[in-house]
Amino acid sequence: MRATLMYAAGDVRVETLPDPTIQKPTDAIVRVVRACVCGSDLHPFHDLPAQEQGMQMGHEFLGIVEGAGSDVAGVKVGDLVVASFSYQDNTCEFCRAGVQTACVHVGFFSAAQAELIRVPLADGTLVKLPVGTDSELLPSLLTLADVYGTGYHAAKRANVTAGDTVAVIGDGAVGLLAVLSAKQLGAERIILMGRHKARTDLGLEFGATDVVAERGEEGITTVRDLTDGGALKVLEAVGHRPAYDQAVGIVRAGGVISRVGVPQYDEAPVGFASLFGRNITLNGGPAPVRAYIDELMPGILNGTVNPGKVFDRSVSLDEVPAAYQAMDDREALKVLIAL
Amino acid sequence: MRATLMYAAGDVRVETLPDPTIQKPTDAIVRVVRACVCGSDLHPFHDLPAQEQGMQMGHEFLGIVEGAGSDVAGVKVGDLVVASFSYQDNTCEFCRAGVQTACVHVGFFSAAQAELIRVPLADGTLVKLPVGTDSELLPSLLTLADVYGTGYHAAKRANVTAGDTVAVIGDGAVGLLAVLSAKQLGAERIILMGRHKARTDLGLEFGATDVVAERGEEGITTVRDLTDGGALKVLEAVGHRPAYDQAVGIVRAGGVISRVGVPQYDEAPVGFASLFGRNITLNGGPAPVRAYIDELMPGILNGTVNPGKVFDRSVSLDEVPAAYQAMDDREALKVLIAL
């Protein structure tokens, strides 16, 4: 099969690898129909040390089940399915509590930008899609694999409810889908902090009521002025330390900072002046998107939401290296791979 | 009036000061009947730089209303009342949301170890006690001013509910009352981390099911073994950085660290390895004890709970300097002042 490999920062190649095979009775093999490049794929694109054996890439995909182990009962050969970016048994204590990314058997996909992929724990991971491979809904359904569920996780962990004032930090695909999710959960006012107009325009379309382009102290002051002292729910969808500091600066006393941007820092202020003194809650983490697929799919199928709008470019598998470059240059927000 | 003043670390004196007077129509003057020394009073007792004018001390008291401004409607002269350690209007947005320590008019008492005290915002701060000054319940009712409500806040913010496994870090008065609170909220298993036997014995009486005396990595291993991987709800009642690290070490994936020990640190780990990767929630803060007084008082009045057991010594006002020393030497857990 053809597959995407990264050999070093900036060095992405599409090469031929042996087809994956079923290794355990709970495995399935899926022929990928749609995959995509994630913002987090850009981290190794920036700093991966050179390596002789390339590293397979990609964790978001939907496709056709091509083979299934003897223990797989939930899906069958020929089904069109979407996978969560993590695989899990979906039956353990942590899965039942809705923290699938802490499943006792959890793993994370890293080979989805390819023609075929092996799916461990297929019954806990794959969800059948009630459409065909010619459906116009495929881009939106693909967002269930990660970015939509991740934006939704931010809003859920912040307990966004009807009438809320919410601030979203970051205008990447996750931030924009956090806006969409907050809107779905009834937020009345949604302030989007971002400064790429094409992206914040999509944020407005998704339900943002205000856009704040300023950063740092200036951005904090603007949001505090807009909200008369801060937003009760802050969704942080960036992961860099300045975004954390921004969240602390704009959150209202008694409020929540819900993080889904993977922290690129270890320590940060949590003392009296930042969190403790105002009874701020800090939560979030890797989204248990498997928990949300059933909940979010109906809105896509009935046309209520169109999260697939985050894809502003589509490429073939052979064009994936250029897709990385386009996202890194911020020419593209998120690139779909159609196989 | 006689009042307690601190002049420097280790230098506590009882001296005569002018009586406080009503300064605003919302003020009341209370003649203190019971006060006490708080663990947090030991911070300046350790490190207060010498100063010419002594600093008045104390934030926990109950007493008789001796004077009331013209706008005070909720209590009247002669009432026996308890105050929360913060004063607040109890009507603003933050008070209504149960975060009274973030009230737009909030302030904190610091002159309660004295014969008289001025109470700003009396209607939002004082609660009438339905007992006389000869009641045996006064020690327990005094804990409503701070330590009981603070322990309860830890348990409430951790959302402790029936059947939970809870770990409490710290065997000071707040930690022990966090144990009592967790028990009241239905926790099935309560692991108390502390190593002063007299204190942990009281913790067992309050409802702890296990005591872990080990600290650091050893303590973490013990709690993780006891709980098969960690406690879902961790109540941190110390405030020093090692207690934070201990909390991170013993919390279960998807769980909560609820802090009520005032952080003596600014930065701490919040990245992937500590909080984010396992979807840990960090919350807590200065307890809005005013919000809990009405809820907690009935259990004291009907004898269900006896939080006043945290007082293991009683002194007169003139003996307060020795009370500080006894608490600092850990000869006393918490000292009551009977006026």
Side-chain angles (χ1 to χ4, degrees):
Chain A
M1 67 161 181
R2 301 287 285 168
T4 305
L5 295 108
M6 192 180 289
Y7 282 83
D11 182 0
V12 176
R13 310 178 199 169
V14 178
E15 298 184 337
T16 299
L17 292 183
D19 287 356
T21 56
I22 287 171
Q23 294 173 16
K24 291 189 177 177
T26 47
D27 285 356
I29 301 294
V30 170
R31 178 163 294 277
V32 177
V33 172
R34 295 287 184 280
C36 53
V37 183
C38 184
S40 66
D41 294 335
L42 298 180
H43 292 311
F45 190 72
H46 288 149
D47 55 23
L48 185 72
Q51 42 203 278
E52 271 187 47
Q53 291 234 315
M55 183 174 83
Q56 269 199 267
M57 296 296 299
H59 53 266
E60 301 154 284
F61 66 98
L62 56 78
I64 300 282
V65 178
E66 190 157 295
S70 54
D71 286 355
V72 176
V75 297
K76 59 181 193 305
V77 171
D79 283 348
L80 182 64
V81 295
V82 67
S84 49
F85 71 88
S86 60
Y87 53 83
Q88 57 273 313
D89 58 35
N90 213 26
T91 59
C92 78
E93 168 200 344
F94 298 102
C95 288
R96 292 197 309 275
V99 197
Q100 277 84 348
T101 44
C103 171
V104 296
H105 298 115
V106 76
F108 297 89
F109 288 111
S110 58
Q113 292 161 4
E115 289 174 325
L116 292 165
I117 185 166
R118 182 175 76 89
V119 178
L121 299 169
D123 278 347
T125 305
L126 298 176
V127 177
K128 187 168 159 40
L129 296 171
V131 300
T133 54
D134 57 348
S135 169
E136 289 180 356
L137 299 177
L138 293 194
S140 283
L141 292 166
L142 179 60
T143 65
L144 294 171
D146 183 348
V147 283
Y148 187 15
T150 296
Y152 194 70
H153 186 56
K156 287 293 274 188
R157 294 292 275 184
N159 193 28
V160 173
T161 49
D164 272 347
T165 294
V166 176
V168 176
I169 300 176
D171 59 9
V174 171
L176 297 178
L177 291 171
V179 168
L180 180 71
S181 299
K183 176 76 176 174
Q184 275 188 285
L185 291 168
E188 197 171 290
R189 186 162 195 190
I190 303 171
I191 299 164
L192 173 60
M193 300 191 80
R195 51 185 203 168
H196 303 89
K197 188 165 183 310
R199 299 177 180 196
T200 55
D201 281 351
L202 182 54
L204 291 167
E205 194 179 329
F206 279 163
T209 53
D210 305 79
V211 169
V212 172
E214 296 91 339
R215 291 182 176 185
E217 281 306 319
E218 201 183 346
I220 289 170
T221 302
T222 303
V223 174
R224 290 181 63 87
D225 286 350
L226 279 172
T227 53
D228 193 21
L232 203 59
K233 318 279 171 88
V234 177
L235 317 184
E236 198 283 87
V238 177
H240 291 294
R241 181 53 203 281
Y244 179 91
D245 295 336
Q246 198 127 27
V248 169
I250 65 175
V251 68
R252 196 176 195 81
V256 185
I257 298 170
S258 173
R259 293 181 299 170
V260 291
V262 179
Q264 304 301 305
Y265 51 89
D266 183 25
E267 298 214 343
V270 296
F272 200 93
S274 52
L275 302 185
F276 188 88
R278 296 182 300 143
N279 270 280
I280 305 302
T281 295
L282 176 68
N283 62 21
V289 299
R290 178 62 189 84
Y292 303 131
I293 292 177
D294 302 318
E295 189 176 343
L296 296 178
M297 200 190 300
I300 294 173
L301 296 175
N302 69 26
T304 308
V305 293
N306 190 353
K309 284 193 174 180
V310 296
F311 295 110
D312 56 352
R313 187 174 298 192
S314 177
V315 300
S316 69
L317 187 57
D318 284 334
E319 295 167 317
V320 166
Y324 274 76
Q325 196 60 57
M327 280 179 63
D328 195 41
D329 295 342
R330 294 187 182 269
E331 284 168 18
L333 167 56
K334 191 168 177 72
V335 179
L336 187 77
I337 307 167
L339 289 102
Chain B
M1 68 161 183
R2 301 286 286 166
T4 305
L5 295 107
M6 192 179 288
Y7 282 84
D11 183 359
V12 177
R13 310 178 199 170
V14 178
E15 298 184 338
T16 299
L17 292 183
D19 288 356
T21 56
I22 287 171
Q23 293 173 17
K24 289 189 178 176
T26 47
D27 285 356
I29 301 295
V30 170
R31 179 164 293 277
V32 177
V33 171
R34 294 290 183 279
C36 53
V37 183
C38 184
S40 67
D41 294 333
L42 297 180
H43 293 311
F45 190 72
H46 288 149
D47 56 22
L48 185 71
Q51 41 201 279
E52 272 187 46
Q53 293 235 312
M55 183 173 83
Q56 270 199 265
M57 296 296 297
H59 53 267
E60 300 155 284
F61 66 100
L62 55 78
I64 299 283
V65 177
E66 190 158 294
S70 55
D71 286 356
V72 176
V75 297
K76 60 181 191 306
V77 172
D79 284 349
L80 182 65
V81 295
V82 65
S84 49
F85 72 86
S86 60
Y87 53 83
Q88 58 273 316
D89 59 35
N90 213 25
T91 57
C92 80
E93 168 200 344
F94 299 102
C95 288
R96 292 196 311 275
V99 198
Q100 276 84 348
T101 45
C103 171
V104 295
H105 298 116
V106 75
F108 298 89
F109 288 111
S110 60
Q113 292 161 4
E115 289 175 326
L116 292 165
I117 185 167
R118 182 175 75 89
V119 178
L121 300 169
D123 276 347
T125 304
L126 298 176
V127 178
K128 187 169 161 34
L129 297 171
V131 299
T133 53
D134 57 348
S135 170
E136 289 179 356
L137 299 177
L138 293 194
S140 283
L141 292 167
L142 179 60
T143 65
L144 294 171
D146 184 347
V147 283
Y148 187 15
T150 296
Y152 193 70
H153 186 55
K156 287 293 276 188
R157 294 292 273 186
N159 194 28
V160 173
T161 49
D164 272 347
T165 293
V166 176
V168 176
I169 300 177
D171 59 10
V174 171
L176 297 178
L177 291 171
V179 169
L180 179 72
S181 300
K183 176 75 176 174
Q184 274 188 286
L185 292 168
E188 195 171 291
R189 187 163 195 190
I190 303 172
I191 299 164
L192 173 59
M193 302 193 78
R195 52 184 199 168
H196 303 90
K197 188 165 183 307
R199 299 177 180 197
T200 55
D201 282 351
L202 182 54
L204 291 168
E205 194 179 328
F206 280 162
T209 54
D210 305 79
V211 170
V212 173
E214 295 92 338
R215 293 182 173 186
E217 279 308 317
E218 201 184 343
I220 289 169
T221 302
T222 303
V223 175
R224 290 180 63 87
D225 287 350
L226 280 173
T227 53
D228 193 23
L232 203 59
K233 317 279 170 87
V234 177
L235 317 185
E236 197 283 89
V238 177
H240 290 295
R241 182 51 203 283
Y244 179 91
D245 295 336
Q246 198 127 26
V248 169
I250 66 175
V251 68
R252 197 176 194 82
V256 184
I257 298 170
S258 173
R259 294 182 298 170
V260 290
V262 178
Q264 304 300 308
Y265 49 89
D266 183 26
E267 300 214 340
V270 296
F272 201 93
S274 52
L275 302 184
F276 188 88
R278 296 180 300 143
N279 269 280
I280 306 301
T281 295
L282 176 69
N283 63 21
V289 299
R290 178 63 189 86
Y292 303 131
I293 292 178
D294 303 319
E295 190 175 343
L296 296 178
M297 200 190 300
I300 294 173
L301 296 175
N302 69 26
T304 309
V305 293
N306 189 352
K309 286 194 174 179
V310 296
F311 295 111
D312 56 353
R313 187 173 298 193
S314 177
V315 299
S316 68
L317 186 57
D318 283 335
E319 296 167 316
V320 166
Y324 274 76
Q325 196 59 58
M327 281 179 63
D328 195 40
D329 293 342
R330 292 186 183 269
E331 286 169 18
L333 168 55
K334 191 169 178 71
V335 180
L336 187 76
I337 307 168
L339 289 101

